[in-house]
Amino acid sequence: MERDAILIPGGGLLRDGHLPPWVCARFDLALAVYRDELLIPLSAGTTHKAPPLNEDGFPIFESIAGGRYLTLHGIPPDRILTENCSYDTIGNAFFSRLIHVDPLELRKILIITSRFHMQRTHITFNWVYGMPPSRCSLAFLEAPDEGIPPHDLQARMDREKKSVTRLNETVSRIHSLSELHRWLFTEHTAYGVHHRSGDDPGAAMATY
């Protein structure tokens, strides 16, 4: 299948700034199917914990860590675009579309994420990329939940179910990019002036 780009949502960083195993699995799958299309790692970080810092004290963005992983595995830097604005899956979809996909007129997109994250990713990207003017064809590929202990994985899957319920409520009332833009910057706690940390993920924290 000919593609214009592969998008890889962020999935957390270790304390040393490296990708955890389940995120490496996403990038390894992207590398396995890569055919010279653009590779676009997504995400600045998460609202659930502070980002790791580099040796100069600056935050390490998840997408930059992902981009460096790709270059270390032989991908030319000019085939990698990063998205450093988002802090959740809705932001992944919104900012990737506005920053890269629409301006570059990318049409055939593959999105790769972990099995535990796939249902929410599928709903979110079809929703955001389906808002008019909609010009993209989306496909999805599931990476294994590599390196997550069973207890932590179950906690994350339970949390994902609750997140999907909330997401479906949002999807049912927001139908355009302008409505989504207003909601993101006035109601969503990750992006508005009343920005605050996300709720405590509890036992699922190890997967962020």
Side-chain angles (χ1 to χ4, degrees):
M1 171 185 171
E2 185 179 339
R3 290 182 293 262
D4 297 317
I6 299 175
L7 276 57
I8 308 105
L13 291 175
L14 302 176
R15 290 183 179 180
D16 62 4
H18 288 92
L19 302 178
W22 60 92
V23 180
C24 289
R26 302 179 191 184
F27 282 92
D28 290 342
L29 185 53
L31 288 163
V33 301
Y34 175 68
R35 297 294 182 271
D36 199 42
E37 63 271 68
L38 291 169
L39 292 169
I40 308 180
L42 309 178
S43 187
T46 176
T47 59
H48 298 299
K49 62 182 182 182
L53 305 179
N54 65 18
E55 60 273 12
D56 297 315
F58 290 97
I60 300 172
F61 294 135
E62 291 183 19
S63 60
I64 297 297
R68 289 175 177 166
Y69 186 90
L70 292 172
T71 61
L72 287 172
H73 287 79
I75 303 300
D78 64 0
R79 304 308 296 159
I80 302 168
L81 302 174
T82 59
E83 176 276 297
N84 303 324
C85 300
S86 63
Y87 289 90
D88 72 334
T89 306
I90 295 174
N92 287 171
F94 179 78
F95 289 110
S96 64
R97 178 173 175 178
L98 268 63
I99 292 172
H100 295 307
V101 172
D102 283 1
L104 293 177
E105 299 183 354
L106 306 177
R107 295 292 177 259
K108 296 181 179 179
I109 309 295
L110 175 65
I111 300 153
I112 296 177
T113 194
S114 303
R115 183 176 295 118
F116 71 77
H117 186 229
M118 181 53 76
Q119 183 183 14
R120 185 156 57 100
T121 298
H122 195 277
I123 295 169
T124 300
F125 276 81
N126 278 316
W127 169 50
V128 174
Y129 275 73
M131 293 176 181
S134 177
R135 303 186 182 95
C136 289
S137 172
L138 303 183
F140 298 83
L141 200 55
E142 193 175 85
D145 299 329
E146 194 73 38
I148 306 176
H151 177 268
D152 294 336
L153 180 58
Q154 186 60 56
R156 181 60 185 263
M157 291 171 66
D158 292 343
R159 182 175 173 81
E160 286 291 317
K161 290 179 182 178
K162 295 177 182 178
S163 296
V164 165
T165 298
R166 292 195 301 269
L167 172 62
N168 283 328
E169 293 172 355
T170 304
V171 168
S172 69
R173 62 188 179 90
I174 296 177
H175 307 287
S176 70
L177 286 173
S178 61
E179 291 173 353
L180 179 56
H181 179 276
R182 177 172 178 78
W183 176 80
L184 270 178
F185 292 102
T186 60
E187 296 184 45
H188 197 304
T189 57
Y191 305 105
V193 69
H194 300 297
H195 173 92
R196 64 177 185 269
S197 299
D199 61 319
D200 182 359
M205 178 62 87
T207 63
Y208 284 90

